[in-house]
C-alpha cells in the first residue's frame, strides 16, 4: 500500500490543468471537460499498460526500474525495448515541461495577490510569460533533483498532491456554505471535526488497532459530522442547489440563475467528503519520515505566510484601506 501511495504522483498533474484556467476561452465549459477528460484518458492508458505488462510477464517477475521495456526484452523483442525507452524519455521530458507551465503560473498568482514577493508576478512583455518565476522554479527543481533521492522526492510529491486535493475538497464544502450566515459556524466546526475524524479512522486502520475502535472513530468523528453537513445542505436547498427557484422571489431567482452559469460540483457534501476521506487514508499509508518532512515544509510555509504573506496580501491591504476610510468618515462627521 505504501508503494501504491508513492505512485499517486502520477496523477498530480490534475492541478496543472487548473493552473491554466486564466488562459482558456470558456472556463465554465473548458475546465470541467479538460480535467475530467484528461483523468479518463490517462486512467484508461494506465490500465491498458498495466494489463499489457502483466500479460507478458508474471507480476512477481516485473523489473521495477524499467517494467515495460524489460517485458519486451524477456519476450524476445529487444527492438521494442529501444522504442519504449525513447518514448519514456519523451514522456518524462514533456512532464517536466508541463510542470514548468503550472508552477510559475501558481507563483504568478500568489505574487499578484501579494502572498509572495512581487518579483514572481513579473511577466515578460514579449512572450507574455512569468519569466522570473520560471527561472526560479527551474533552478530550484534542478538543485532538489540533484541532491535528494528519487524515492524521497516521489513520496514528498505524493503527500503534497494528497494534501492539496484534500484542501480543494474542503474548500468545495466551505465555498458552497459560506453564504449561509445561520449555519456557517456549524459548517466550519463539522468540517474540521470530519477531517480530524478521517485522520483518526485512517490511522487506526493503518496501525492495525482493534476493528471496533476504528468503527467508533468512523461513526463518532467522521460519519456524524458528515451527516450534519448533509442535513445543513438539505435545510436550505435554495442557497446551495443549482436548480431553478420556485419561491417567486426575484433576488433568490437571480442568484440561482447566476449560479447555473458556473460548473458546480454535484452531490455536495458526498463527493468532496469521500475525496477527503480517501486522500487522508492514502496519505496515512506513507512512511512516517515523509510526514516529518511534510510537517517541516508546511511549518516553513506557515511561518512565511505569517511574517510576509498575510501582511502584504491584497485582501488584507484592502481591508485595512476600508477600515481607514470608515475611520476618516467618522472623524469628518464629528
Amino acid at each position: 500500500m505504501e508503494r501504491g501511495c508513492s505512485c499517486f504522483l502520477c496523477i498530480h498533474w490534475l492541478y496543472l490543468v487548473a493552473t491554466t484556467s486564466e488562459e482558456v476561452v470558456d472556463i465554465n465549459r473548458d475546465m470541467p471537460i479538460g480535467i475530467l477528460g484528461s483523468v479518463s484518458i490517462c486512467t484508461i492508458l494506465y490500465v491498458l499498460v498495466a494489463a499489457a505488462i502483466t500479460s507478458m510477464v508474471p507480476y512477481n517477475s516485473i523489473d521495477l526500474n524499467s517494467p515495460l521495456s524489460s517485458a519486451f526484452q524477456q519476450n524476445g523483442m529487444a527492438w521494442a525495448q529501444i522504442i519504449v525507452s525513447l518514448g519514456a524519455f519523451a514522456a518524462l521530458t514533456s512532464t517536466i515541461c508541463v510542470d514548468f507551465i503550472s508552477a510559475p503560473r501558481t507563483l504568478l498568482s500568489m505574487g499578484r495577490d501579494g502572498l509572495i514577493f512581487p518579483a514572481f508576478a513579473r511577466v515578460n512583455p514579449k512572450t507574455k510569460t512569468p519569466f522570473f518565476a520560471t527561472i526560479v522554479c527551474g533552478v530550484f527543481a534542478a538543485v532538489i533533483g540533484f541532491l535528494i533521492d528519487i524515492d524521497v522526492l516521489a513520496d514528498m510529491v505524493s503527500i503534497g498532491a494528497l494534501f492539496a486535493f484534500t484542501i480543494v475538497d474542503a474548500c468545495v464544502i466551505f465555498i458552497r456554505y459560506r453564504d449561509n450566515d445561520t449555519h456557517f459556524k456549524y459548517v466550519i466546526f463539522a468540517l474540521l471535526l470530519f477531517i480530524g475524524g478521517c485522520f483518526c479512522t485512517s490511522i487506526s486502520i493503518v496501525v492495525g488497532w482493534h476493528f471496533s475502535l476504528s468503527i467508533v472513530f468512523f461513526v463518532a468523528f467522521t460519519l456524524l459530522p458528515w451527516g450534519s453537513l448533509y442535513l445543513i445542505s438539505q435545510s436550505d436547498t435554495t442557497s446551495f442547489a443549482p436548480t431553478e427557484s420556485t419561491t417567486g422571489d426575484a433576488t433568490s431567482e437571480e442568484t440561482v440563475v447566476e449560479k447555473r452559469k458556473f460548473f458546480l460540483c454535484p452531490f455536495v457534501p458526498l463527493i468532496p467528503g469521500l475525496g477527503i476521506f480517501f486522500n487522508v487514508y492514502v496519505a496515512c499509508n506513507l512512511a512516517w519520515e515523509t510526514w516529518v518532512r511534510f510537517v517541516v515544509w508546511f511549518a516553513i510555509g506557515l511561518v512565511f505566510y505569517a511574517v510576509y504573506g498575510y501582511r502584504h496580501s491584497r485582501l488584507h491591504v484592502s481591508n485595512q484601506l476600508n477600515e481607514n476610510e470608515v475611520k476618516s468618515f467618522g472623524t469628518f462627521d464629528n
Side-chain angles (χ1 to χ4, degrees):
M1 186 66 183
E2 182 178 342
R3 290 298 92 193
C5 300
S6 300
C7 295
F8 200 84
L9 62 90
C10 296
I11 60 172
H12 85 286
W13 43 260
L14 284 175
Y15 83 92
L16 309 183
V17 180
T19 56
T20 60
S21 59
E22 295 183 3
E23 303 173 40
V24 299
V25 177
D26 186 358
I27 186 173
N28 303 315
R29 178 183 65 89
D30 297 339
M31 290 306 298
I33 293 176
I35 294 177
L36 297 177
S38 58
V39 169
S40 302
I41 293 173
C42 291
T43 301
I44 293 173
L45 291 177
Y46 286 153
V47 172
L48 291 177
V49 171
I53 295 175
T54 52
S55 299
M56 298 167 62
V57 180
Y59 76 93
N60 54 359
S61 302
I62 295 176
D63 186 359
L64 300 181
N65 295 320
S66 55
L68 195 57
S69 59
S70 63
F72 281 106
Q73 185 179 21
Q74 295 179 31
N75 284 271
M77 293 181 286
W79 57 270
Q81 180 183 7
I82 300 175
I83 298 176
V84 171
S85 299
L86 292 175
F89 177 77
L92 290 174
T93 304
S94 65
T95 302
I96 294 174
C97 292
V98 170
D99 284 330
F100 283 138
I101 290 175
S102 63
R105 281 159 177 75
T106 302
L107 296 177
L108 169 67
S109 300
M110 295 176 67
R112 199 165 49 192
D113 292 336
L115 297 176
I116 57 177
F117 304 120
F120 289 95
R122 295 178 183 174
V123 176
N124 189 292
K126 183 177 180 180
T127 61
K128 307 299 182 182
T129 56
F131 69 99
F132 181 78
T134 303
I135 294 173
V136 172
C137 288
V139 173
F140 183 78
V143 172
I144 294 296
F146 178 77
L147 296 178
I148 300 180
D149 183 76
I150 185 64
D151 292 332
V152 175
L153 285 178
D155 289 341
M156 288 299 297
V157 173
S158 296
I159 195 172
L162 290 166
F163 181 75
F165 292 160
T166 302
I167 294 298
V168 170
D169 289 326
C171 288
V172 169
I173 300 176
F174 174 81
I175 294 175
R176 189 66 62 89
Y177 298 121
R178 67 179 176 181
D179 295 332
N180 191 327
D181 297 331
T182 305
H183 301 125
F184 182 69
K185 293 182 180 180
Y186 299 101
V187 168
I188 296 298
F189 176 75
L191 185 59
L192 295 176
L193 188 61
F194 175 75
I195 296 176
C198 290
F199 271 103
C200 293
T201 305
S202 301
I203 292 174
S204 64
I205 295 174
V206 172
V207 175
W209 291 344
H210 197 273
F211 181 74
S212 59
L213 185 60
S214 301
I215 294 297
V216 170
F217 278 131
F218 179 75
V219 173
F221 300 108
T222 305
L223 193 60
L224 291 180
W226 179 87
S228 63
L229 290 174
Y230 176 77
L231 292 175
I232 291 174
S233 67
Q234 296 299 311
S235 64
D236 191 359
T237 55
T238 304
S239 300
F240 310 125
T243 57
E244 294 184 0
S245 174
T246 58
T247 60
D249 184 33
T251 304
S252 177
E253 190 171 334
E254 291 176 359
T255 303
V256 173
V257 172
E258 184 67 22
K259 285 188 176 184
R260 286 176 64 86
K261 296 180 181 179
F262 301 96
F263 174 80
L264 292 176
C265 177
F267 306 110
V268 176
L270 176 61
I271 291 180
L274 291 175
I276 292 174
F277 179 79
F278 287 117
N279 289 332
V280 171
Y281 175 72
V282 173
C284 288
N285 283 273
L286 291 169
W288 66 269
E289 295 92 344
T290 303
W291 276 97
V292 171
R293 300 185 191 101
F294 171 74
V295 170
V296 171
W297 277 105
F298 187 66
I300 294 174
L302 287 179
V303 170
F304 181 83
Y305 174 75
V307 174
Y308 181 87
Y310 175 75
R311 299 174 183 272
H312 295 83
S313 66
R314 288 201 308 177
L315 181 62
H316 178 71
V317 173
S318 176
N319 292 335
Q320 290 292 327
L321 291 176
N322 292 334
E323 290 179 3
N324 293 333
E325 289 180 358
V326 171
K327 292 180 181 178
S328 62
F329 278 118
T331 304
F332 179 76
D333 293 337
N334 293 331

